[in-house]
Amino acid sequence: NATRNGTLEVDSTHTLCYQLYGLDLQPNSAANDGCSDDDNSDGYSSNARIGEKNGKVAIFLHGGPGAGCYPNHARFFSPDHYSVILFDQRGCGRSTPCGEVVNNTLAHLVHDMEALRMHLNVDKFDVVLGGSWGTTLALAYATTYPERVGGLILRGVCLFRRQEVDWLFGGIGGAARLNAEGWKEFEAAVGMDGCNDDSMDESNDKRAVLHRYYDCLLGSDPILRIHAMRAWMKWEMSIFGYNNSESKGSNEAENQKQPEDSGPLLVWDGAFGGFSAFLRGWSFQNTDGPIDVGQTDRHAANKAQSLRRFSFGSEAVPPEPIKEDDNALLGTPRPIDTKTGTLINASLPPNVTAEKAAKFIPAQAILTCYYSTNDQYVMAGYTDLLSKDTIDRIRHIPCIAIQGGQDKICPPDTALDLLNAWPEMELRIALQSGHSMYDAMITSEIAKATDRLAGIEY
């Protein structure tokens, strides 16, 4: 159970909800049971310092954008060695207002992390653990406040680059080709059948389907919103759990037989220790260490590059030039097309009344769609996370990245691109795992990483 729940008003619109675990705080009065009470009456001294009992302070950054935090997220950390902070980012979970996109960008979330650190009187976050979108936020915060970060753990690496958004929600290639039938259902749900047809010329918008969902999810029609949310989540989950063996047209290297001496892990060892710190290069590993390193490093290096989905070689495919009407140049989010509703045949699901529909806010679908559509706008100031100047700010920070080799939501390309820019980091690829943090191998690797950064020896 959380030691303390609280709220923090970060601007005139947004109030964050947070939970603290493993703390040694003395209450002044009855403790706050939830996140709805006034922050100044949460029952704890305003000058209480967290982390004095359990040594290290960790913060968990959820994905999405818009997924929210859950108590299970604290279980990645040993309660004997960590105090843990969970918080719901703007507009999601128990933070309010739910689904709000006003004043909601990556820069705002970085500000919120620093405001929360100061509010809790924490000198630094000894460990920042981010998953999926949370890795983008973790890197953005670390590069802005490197003196406030002791170590990074990144699961399912995402930098929210244009090519990453287009992989998942672009109508040409990417996940749309990986699961062609699922994409057809996705586009048909908003009346856009055939938008990934091979005959589509370059003048057409590859994000036309994404923009149609934007109009539905952020528009004022609750029936359209629910209709779009159901189709949106079905598409995301179809890619989340997509079986690699079903993939058609995957590159030849990926289909080559894996060497007999390879293990379930593909590891690049950086400069910050671990059980194979003597090697700074690729190797196959079992969960308990390397496998005959001298004979497998060449196979491992080849295997790493074969895992790429939307880029090849040592560098990612550069993003397309920004168009004149791009939201980055406008400096504002994309406007909503109110005519979209007339193009879609939508109805309420069974057992859902109009009253319930009007109150329902699908925060994760709304925020993921908002951020994806307005990627240049929401990422302003952080579009160069792979640049040498940016990485130089955090190069000294221990970093362990954990990646699913079969991850189709955040393919290994981004983790490999980050490694190219930051070879001092450690990258651990669970070859048969996907995107889920609850995959057995991924869960094990996260727990081992938090133990290692706490100095726990096996």
Side-chain angles (χ1 to χ4, degrees), residues 10-81:
V10 288
D11 64 19
S12 59
T13 301
H14 293 275
T15 298
L16 304 182
C17 173
Y18 63 84
Q19 301 86 42
L20 312 178
Y21 293 79
L23 310 182
D24 187 20
L25 299 177
Q26 296 300 315
N28 291 332
S29 59
N32 180 9
D33 288 330
C35 292
S36 59
D37 294 344
D38 182 81
D39 186 64
N40 294 322
S41 60
D42 61 6
Y44 291 88
S45 169
S46 62
N47 62 359
R49 185 184 182 90
I50 79 167
E52 291 180 347
K53 176 183 178 182
N54 291 346
K56 292 187 177 293
V57 178
I59 187 167
F60 179 93
L61 306 178
H62 65 72
C69 276
Y70 298 91
N72 267 348
H73 295 156
R75 299 180 68 185
F76 291 113
F77 303 89
S78 166
D80 295 327
H81 295 84

Side-chain angles (χ1 to χ4, degrees), residues 11 90 102-113 377:
D11 64 19
R90 294 189 180 208
V102 172
N103 295 341
N104 199 333
T105 68
L106 180 57
H108 286 106
L109 303 186
V110 169
H111 164 272
D112 293 349
M113 284 184 65
Y377 169 73

Side-chain angles (χ1 to χ4, degrees), residues 325-336:
D325 62 348
D326 195 280
N327 53 68
L329 300 182
L330 291 171
T332 57
R334 178 184 174 87
I336 296 170

Side-chain angles (χ1 to χ4, degrees), residues 139 154 157 159 161 266-272 279-283 300-301 304-305 307-308 313-316 385-387 391 394-395 399-403 412-429:
L139 288 167
L154 311 175
V157 181
L159 296 177
R161 298 172 296 173
L266 183 57
V267 177
W268 172 273
D269 230 331
F272 292 102
L279 174 69
R280 189 168 170 184
W282 288 109
S283 68
Q305 296 308 316
L307 295 173
R308 288 182 177 274
S314 62
E315 297 294 336
L385 287 173
L386 291 178
S387 72
I391 295 298
I394 58 173
R395 203 175 294 278
C399 177
I400 302 171
I402 299 158
Q403 178 70 41
D413 305 59
T414 302
L416 293 168
D417 292 338
L418 180 61
L419 179 63
N420 289 337
W422 191 4
E424 297 83 1
M425 67 179 280
E426 181 175 332
L427 175 57
R428 305 179 67 82
I429 303 176

Side-chain angles (χ1 to χ4, degrees), residues 305-360:
Q305 296 308 316
S306 78
L307 295 173
R308 288 182 177 274
R309 286 279 171 183
F310 54 78
S311 57
F312 302 94
S314 62
E315 297 294 336
V317 175
E320 296 178 353
I322 296 174
K323 300 176 183 178
E324 288 300 316
D325 62 348
D326 195 280
N327 53 68
L329 300 182
L330 291 171
T332 57
R334 178 184 174 87
I336 296 170
D337 185 351
T338 58
K339 298 178 181 178
T340 294
T342 63
L343 306 174
I344 301 170
N345 182 20
S347 59
L348 283 173
N351 303 321
V352 176
T353 65
E355 183 180 5
K356 286 182 178 180
K359 295 179 180 179
F360 179 63

Side-chain angles (χ1 to χ4, degrees), residues 64-257:
C69 276
Y70 298 91
N72 267 348
H73 295 156
R75 299 180 68 185
F76 291 113
F77 303 89
S78 166
D80 295 327
H81 295 84
Y82 283 101
S83 299
V84 183
I85 304 166
L86 309 182
F87 82 100
D88 295 321
Q89 297 160 28
R90 294 189 180 208
C92 64
R94 290 188 289 176
S95 293
T96 57
C98 181
E100 182 57 70
V101 298
V102 172
N103 295 341
N104 199 333
T105 68
L106 180 57
H108 286 106
L109 303 186
V110 169
H111 164 272
D112 293 349
M113 284 184 65
E114 181 63 3
L116 185 58
R117 183 194 66 78
M118 296 176 67
H119 172 70
L120 296 173
N121 196 21
V122 174
D123 180 60
K124 71 188 299 184
F125 298 123
D126 295 298
V127 174
V128 178
L129 167 55
S132 194
W133 158 256
T135 67
T136 310
L137 177 54
L139 288 167
Y141 179 81
T143 56
T144 305
Y145 299 101
E147 71 282 1
R148 300 300 182 186
V149 177
L152 288 166
I153 300 173
L154 311 175
R155 190 275 310 168
V157 181
C158 166
L159 296 177
F160 223 74
R161 298 172 296 173
R162 293 172 69 85
Q163 56 265 51
E164 295 173 50
V165 174
D166 289 341
W167 160 264
L168 193 55
F169 298 117
I172 303 176
R177 285 202 185 281
L178 187 71
N179 183 10
E181 290 303 314
W183 179 263
K184 286 180 181 178
E185 291 184 26
F186 184 60
E187 61 185 5
V190 288
M192 303 250 341
D193 308 51
C195 284
N196 64 338
D197 191 280
D198 289 335
S199 62
M200 187 176 186
D201 62 52
E202 294 181 359
S203 65
N204 288 330
D205 185 358
K206 72 163 60 175
R207 293 189 175 184
V209 176
L210 175 63
H211 295 162
R212 184 68 66 86
Y213 274 90
Y214 181 79
D215 295 337
C216 295
L217 288 168
L218 281 86
S220 59
D221 187 330
I223 297 177
L224 275 180
R225 187 182 305 122
I226 286 183
H227 173 80
M229 179 275 296
R230 285 161 60 89
W232 179 278
M233 298 309 295
K234 183 177 180 180
W235 166 247
E236 278 208 42
M237 294 310 296
S238 76
I239 299 301
F240 181 89
Y242 195 76
N243 186 339
N244 185 61
S245 65
E246 298 172 2
S247 176
K248 300 294 189 295
S250 57
N251 66 64
E252 183 178 351
E254 184 177 62
N255 289 326
Q256 291 175 352
K257 183 179 179 181

